[in-house]
Amino acid sequence: MQGKTAGKAVFSIVIALLAVAHVSRAITIDAAGMALIGLAMVPWASSWLESIRVGDFEAKFRALQQTVDATKKELDEIKATYQVMQDDYLDDCKAFDPDAPAAELNRLATRLKAKAKGLASIDFLFADLAQTGDQGLAFGAACALQVRPQFQAIDGVVRLLDALAQTPDLRGFRLKTIYRLLMAVDEIVKLDARNGRTLFDDAQRSAIAAALQKLARHARCVGDDTEDYAQRISGKL
């Protein structure tokens, strides 16, 4: 109430001053001046004035507020929907079973790739990917990149592969997961090729190739499909 009272007081003072100026002829106010005065009163009058018209200028305050409120509500609903979809994707990542048969993991990958296509963004999967010991998250991130290859995600994936290659047991990651990560890298390398090899600079190409070679030489990968795949991707760089 105090704000409304203050607004009315300011408004009344302005009108009184304009009246005095008009009577005394001390100043001349044309249509442009009146419009500017009207604009100056907008912040004060919006809480209690339905609309204001000065010349050709009209602002319908309450209607505008309703529009703003409706838009905000709609955006909040969209954001909530996207959050539900992200949480659902992460729940599927948690369903990853490192001891599951290959066929079961393939079915999980198919489900994850289908859901990844409907996500507003997949950036949430890569925030701490290089440090993760969560094999399900790594598997889910790889599946998302297979259907939505994104150049900005390559550094996180390569850093993860490099970190895994420096551990004796690949952090306990299953070779099936390593292969999925390599598939993600391959899709991004293909994206680079389709863009005329303009996405990576020389330093990035060297870093990617080095990580792939290191992985190919890992004791767990030697003799496995992951060794051959890492070598083939490296050759494309």
Side-chain angles (χ1 to χ4, degrees):
M1 290 298 295
Q2 290 180 349
K4 292 182 178 180
T5 301
K8 290 180 180 180
V10 171
F11 181 72
S12 298
I13 291 170
V14 171
I15 295 301
L17 290 174
L18 290 174
V20 171
H22 177 72
V23 171
S24 65
R25 303 289 184 177
I27 59 174
T28 301
I29 303 175
D30 57 13
M34 289 298 295
L36 291 173
I37 292 169
L39 285 173
M41 293 189 299
V42 166
W44 300 97
S46 60
S47 61
W48 53 273
L49 191 61
E50 176 65 30
S51 66
I52 182 171
R53 181 184 293 275
V54 181
D56 294 329
F57 172 77
E58 182 174 1
K60 292 190 174 296
F61 302 104
R62 294 180 186 173
L64 177 60
Q65 186 62 53
Q66 290 173 355
T67 301
V68 171
D69 290 344
T71 302
K72 183 178 183 300
K73 181 180 179 182
E74 183 177 351
L75 290 174
D76 287 343
E77 290 174 351
I78 292 173
K79 182 178 179 180
T81 299
Y82 286 156
Q83 187 61 54
V84 168
M85 295 173 68
Q86 288 184 12
D87 291 343
D88 179 59
Y89 194 87
L90 291 174
D91 284 342
D92 272 356
C93 292
K94 293 175 183 176
F96 178 89
D97 179 1
D99 299 319
E104 184 176 328
L105 291 183
N106 287 338
R107 286 193 293 272
L108 175 61
T110 298
R111 187 162 71 249
L112 286 168
K113 287 190 288 185
K115 289 186 176 183
K117 293 178 181 179
L119 293 172
S121 169
I122 62 174
D123 290 347
F124 69 98
L125 295 167
F126 305 101
D128 300 307
L129 188 62
Q131 290 77 37
T132 190
D134 184 343
Q135 189 172 178
L137 178 63
F139 189 87
C143 289
L145 281 175
Q146 284 181 252
V147 293
R148 297 178 63 175
Q150 296 185 6
F151 163 69
Q152 67 270 21
I154 187 68
D155 288 339
V157 177
V158 170
R159 283 197 297 267
L160 174 59
L161 289 174
D162 186 69
L164 293 175
Q166 294 182 51
T167 63
D169 64 345
L170 298 174
R171 289 185 188 170
F173 276 31
R174 187 169 172 170
L175 291 178
K176 190 81 171 175
T177 304
I178 302 297
Y179 198 89
R180 287 283 174 185
L181 289 166
L182 289 173
M183 293 173 75
V185 173
D186 195 17
E187 289 300 323
I188 299 174
V189 170
K190 291 176 183 177
L191 181 64
D192 175 56
R194 289 195 295 271
N195 282 271
R197 293 173 59 86
T198 59
L199 299 182
F200 304 135
D201 57 31
D202 291 341
Q204 283 178 304
R205 292 184 193 280
S206 297
I208 297 169
L212 293 173
Q213 291 297 330
K214 189 183 298 182
L215 184 68
R217 294 192 299 268
H218 194 280
R220 285 190 59 198
C221 294
V222 172
D224 183 76
D225 288 345
T226 50
E227 177 190 12
D228 177 64
Y229 200 9
Q231 295 283 14
R232 283 190 285 117
I233 299 171
S234 181
K236 297 176 183 180
L237 294 167

